[in-house]
Amino acid sequence: MGAADQQPVGQVSRRRLLAGGAGAAAAGTLLPTLVPYEAQGAPPGSSGSASGGTMPDFVEGSAALAPDTVVHGACQFCNSLCRLTVNLKAGRVIGILGERDDPVQDGNLCVKGPMMVQLAYNPLRLTSPMKRTGGAKGDPDSTFAPISWDEALGIIADKFLALRDAGEARAIANRTSGRLPRGTGSLVHRLFTLLGSPNDTDVGPVCNDAGGNALAATFGLGNFTNGYGVDESTGKEDLASARYFLMLGTNQGETHPVTFAHLLRGRQRTGAKLVVVDPRRTPTAAMADEWIAPKPHTDFALILGILHEVITTGRYDQAFVNRWVIGFAELRDHILAHRYTADWAAGVTGVPAATIRRIAKDYATARPAAIFCNAGISHQLGAFDTYRAIAMLAAITGNIGVPGGGCNFMHNTWPGGLDLPALRVATPPVGTALPVGPDAFADAILTGKPYRLRALVTEGNPLVSSANTGKVRQAYAALEFYVYTGLFMEEAAYYADVILPVVSGLEFEGVYMRRDDRAIRWQDAALPPLGQSRTDPQIWIDLAHAIAARDTRNPGRYWTDAFPLAWRDYKTLWDTFVANTPGMGGMTRERLRRRTEPLRWPCPTTSHPGVSTLYLDHPSWYRAAEALNPANKGKRFLTPSGKVELYTPALESSLAPSGHHALPIFFTHPEVTGANPTIAYQDGFVTNPVNPQAVTHPVRIAVAGDGSVHRQYPLMGTTGRPSVVHFATVTHWTYTGEQLNGIRLVQIHPDTARRYRIENGDSIIVESPRGRVTGTALVEPHIRPDTIFVPNTFGPAQRVGDVFGDPRYEAVNTLLDDHLYDNLSGQQAYKCFACRIAKA
């Protein structure tokens, strides 16, 4: 990077912090990623204060605009978990502010916080249950008629019971998403257990399950290891005290803007170095001391090169390794035998060997040093193995179980699940689940392998989020029975037999969590449910009662005792979770409501401060660990050995049938240029060692690649969030989201654009062996010349953009191969596809 691109340590420019990404640049304006408290609601162009503004704030003192009610909610557009102070007048939301008394939030909101209102006040919201009355599945001209909740739930109950009575309970599945109120998955699992189906799945394979799987195998828990803010057990800053930040595949400036700003404030105090690894210079990389741009899908090689350098130069923490690590000698011998040197890694990644050696030295000698990863790692073919290698790096340098360090793998799901009272009835055997991963459903529908899926409920939008969208469309068109739950008539809704409306975040009372550092916040409902919409927990409880009224095999109490109607009130449901879930006794709703900052899990008693740094050698951690499981008494790490497990014979034997190993062997996506070692999937199924409830295809790794695909498709494509404005598909249904970033801007290096005779602003086609999508060329130099970036989350049903004349885009996942996936975590390889580009 040149001097002009460097951000001086200790000088976080407000202009740069507020500046957005490529979408804003193309629009010729600055897109605010972070709005300080004093600027929220200020007139455009003013500072938000009487002393610095050019015009007084005439809202101040206005009787009409003075709130008569203030409600404390939570923003649900990302995992920063910002508290919202919702101001209402006569029942109408008139303003949203951040929480000044949360030291991490520091009063800030990003541009998305106020957009929560646009989900509540939206003329396109679903307000009534509906059933299909005409049209082919998937046809945008399909017709639906409003029906009562009783009729809608009756239709679903009848179908589920008919399949169960035909011996086909396993043919029923559910797929959740991150928008759900916490604990919904526990209710779904309970209903599926009573029904006899193993196929209730969570959002993890679309988001970041691989990181949690790797952390659990290495340290014992599958969770982000450190916390934002002060650790209340020690009184010391945790992550903001890091002296070195290594960020791989995470664009926090756009995906976690408020918590990233907290880290930057810490960096001002400590002078910490920030290194960002990403094929393109994101807003996060623009704030870094150093931006490293490897080829897509080669972070695994980069980490192996760093490991080799740390080990061979003796920069590992020998005292920590000797006391707390099992398998270091095996790792050392393995890395040396495979010659995973910095020079080798340079040949794979395109990152100079000298740079790799410098990163290794700086990371190993800075204490403490924190690693952050996100979907840029999770959405790789070797996600589990890459995360394992990263965890090994943190462990051998002594950066685990210390404030300011850790393996902070983002977007993990609820820590450990939320437990309900044990069922008091005998339940049918559930059998083996379909392979983990969202697109196994499409194969099961179309091929019947390993068995046919016939009925499905989703809480997300698989017609945009799933890989190989064309194939997924075929599957959902052929699916016998489909229930869509959501806020809007998204792409998936047009395939539904029954549509169920849900509430938006401002209409819901309960908890929301910062899934990064396990932090839980209570939110009160600011608005009543729109129309007849219901919360997701209410839907599943009501469905259980509808089944009870129709089940001829079991008495009604088989269902109703398991789903008390009192649980429809989330306060009662949360109390039940707290009473039954290990490590949660201190997370009462009364305590959560009193706090202006969230409370971190685990937190076993009301006198316990909650855990910020997992595995910290401190009494508060040992108490929490024992509360999770009495067998953890005295353990620092919650593995079988009580130590960090890099290699054990047991781990090796458990992974080997799937084709993987306890020690990392490099492979990558076959569509990465360079004919690298890759993967081959074998016929048949074996038990998935990290998700033992399911099966998976075994693989052979490190098989020779030939790179032949690049003869016709010479570029590498990668996907990600369009900008800070968007979160999944839902923000495309807001006016602000489409106004600021409703155009799909495909980032292309100027050298590449010249080769294809493409100019900035041209309409272009991006084509892969699976299909093609369109977009608008964004020609700028901050991306590798061999790589293009195609934003995700756009879809053809997004009607709000019509106001601005935006095109209706096909999902970018049309370009991806669904059969290239991590066979352990189920993660799809969204971050690499061979492609070519042309003017439209």
Side-chain angles (χ1 to χ4, degrees), residues 466-490:
S466 296
N468 199 348
T469 309
K471 174 181 167 182
V472 175
R473 283 177 175 167
Q474 294 175 22
Y476 278 70
L479 181 61
E480 187 174 317
F481 184 73
Y482 174 47
V483 179
Y484 168 83
T485 71
L487 294 167
F488 304 104
M489 283 294 294
E490 295 187 292

Side-chain angles (χ1 to χ4, degrees), residues 99-441:
E99 176 55 69
R100 285 185 289 188
D101 292 330
D102 179 343
V104 174
Q105 187 177 352
D106 197 34
N108 296 311
L109 292 175
C110 85
V111 66
K112 292 188 293 295
M115 290 162 59
M116 289 283 291
V117 179
Q118 296 180 35
L119 298 183
Y121 300 136
N122 192 309
L124 299 179
R125 275 279 298 276
L126 294 170
T127 59
S128 170
M130 295 191 291
K131 67 178 180 182
R132 173 175 293 277
T133 56
K137 286 195 172 185
D139 187 340
D141 293 325
S142 295
T143 58
F144 299 86
I147 56 176
S148 68
W149 273 101
D150 285 346
E151 182 178 355
L153 296 173
I155 293 170
I156 301 167
D158 287 340
K159 184 63 178 180
F160 282 11
L161 289 171
L163 287 171
R164 184 206 64 182
D165 293 346
E168 290 283 339
R170 68 178 185 175
I172 306 167
N174 182 77
R175 175 179 166 182
T176 64
S177 79
R179 72 157 177 81
L180 294 179
R182 300 305 97 192
T184 304
S186 301
L187 295 169
V188 177
H189 180 72
R190 194 172 183 86
L191 188 144
F192 272 54
T193 298
L194 292 169
L195 200 60
S197 172
N199 288 310
D200 58 301
T201 67
D202 68 20
V203 70
V206 174
C207 288
N208 291 276
D209 262 7
N213 297 150
L215 290 171
T218 311
F219 306 122
L221 289 178
N223 304 107
F224 196 95
T225 60
N226 289 66
Y228 300 108
V230 172
D231 184 341
E232 295 179 38
S233 66
T234 65
K236 297 179 180 179
E237 276 284 351
D238 194 346
L239 282 170
S241 68
R243 296 286 176 168
Y244 189 95
F245 295 102
L246 179 58
M247 297 190 172
L248 300 113
T250 176
N251 177 17
Q252 292 191 41
E254 292 189 312
T255 63
H256 296 69
V258 173
T259 50
F260 184 51
H262 164 72
L263 298 180
L264 294 178
R265 294 195 298 274
R267 178 183 176 220
Q268 286 181 301
R269 296 188 297 270
T270 64
K273 187 172 184 179
L274 171 60
V275 176
V276 174
V277 179
D278 198 298
R280 64 190 186 102
R281 197 187 78 164
T282 62
T284 307
M287 301 296 293
D289 297 284
E290 189 169 12
W291 166 46
I292 310 297
K295 286 183 182 180
H297 248 78
T298 63
D299 302 82
F300 193 5
L302 178 67
I303 293 298
L304 291 173
I306 294 173
L307 274 169
H308 187 282
E309 185 70 12
V310 169
I311 291 171
T312 57
T313 59
R315 292 194 175 99
Y316 56 91
D317 187 332
Q318 187 168 348
F320 183 86
V321 167
N322 290 343
R323 183 177 181 187
W324 293 110
V325 176
I326 289 178
F328 175 75
E330 289 86 348
L331 173 66
R332 177 195 62 212
D333 295 346
H334 175 85
I335 292 289
L336 295 178
H338 282 77
R339 299 181 180 178
Y340 289 140
T341 65
D343 292 294
W344 165 83
V348 175
T349 64
V351 177
T355 299
I356 296 172
R357 293 189 182 98
R358 185 178 68 255
I359 295 172
K361 176 183 177 181
D362 290 350
Y363 172 78
T365 56
R367 300 293 179 88
I371 296 176
F372 287 82
C373 303
N374 202 343
I377 303 298
S378 298
H379 295 165
Q380 295 193 24
L381 194 59
F384 175 83
D385 293 303
T386 303
Y387 275 126
R388 273 275 291 168
I390 295 169
M392 292 173 182
L393 175 62
I396 69 171
T397 55
N399 279 305
I400 197 73
V402 295
C407 293
N408 303 292
F409 302 162
M410 307 176 100
H411 281 203
N412 294 325
T413 49
W414 179 272
L418 287 169
D419 294 345
L420 294 166
L423 292 168
R424 296 187 299 232
V425 295
T427 58
V430 296
T432 302
L434 292 170
V436 176
D439 302 297
F441 284 4

Side-chain angles (χ1 to χ4, degrees), residues 182-183 186 414-420 511-513 518-522 570 573-592 599-608 610-611 623-629:
R182 300 305 97 192
S186 301
W414 179 272
L418 287 169
D419 294 345
L420 294 166
V511 300
Y512 198 63
M513 70 177 289
R518 303 160 273 109
I520 316 301
R521 192 190 293 282
W522 189 267
Y570 194 88
L573 182 61
W574 181 254
D575 292 347
T576 306
F577 286 137
V578 170
N580 288 275
T581 305
M584 273 189 59
M587 308 192 83
T588 64
R589 57 188 167 91
E590 294 84 2
R591 187 181 184 189
L592 293 176
L599 181 64
R600 279 184 285 262
W601 175 95
C603 182
T605 66
T606 53
S607 61
H608 194 281
V611 174
R623 289 198 301 272
E626 185 177 355
L628 293 174
N629 187 335

